């Protein structure tokens, strides 16, 4: 695997983790919306589905 592909994969992992942490924080600040851990797992699931669709093309 080339260095560029590894860097892109690392960047994608960092972005997904930041997105999940942001979703968990927002839900933590507004507890009536949902559970923070559930929101974080949901965010990771959505991002994984989007990456899967992009890679399948």
């Amino acid at each position: 695997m080339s260095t560029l592909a590894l860097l892109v994969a690392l960047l994608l992992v960092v972005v997904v983790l930041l997105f999940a942490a942001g979703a968990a924080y927002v839900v933590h600040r507004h507890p009536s919306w949902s559970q923070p851990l559930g929101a974080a797992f949901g965010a990771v699931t959505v991002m994984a589905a989007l990456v899967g669709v992009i890679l399948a093309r």
Side-chain angles (χ1 to χ4, degrees), residues 18-47:
L18 284 173
F19 183 67
Y25 175 75
V26 168
V27 171
H28 176 72
R29 297 290 291 166
H30 302 282
S32 64
W33 289 359
S34 178
Q35 295 294 323
L37 209 54
F41 284 133
V44 169
T45 303
V46 167
M47 290 296 288

Side-chain angles (χ1 to χ4, degrees), residues 3 8-9 12-13 15-19 31 36 38 46-47 51-54:
T3 304
V8 169
L12 184 63
V13 167
V15 168
V16 168
L17 288 176
L18 284 173
F19 183 67
V46 167
M47 290 296 288
V51 169
V53 167
I54 291 169

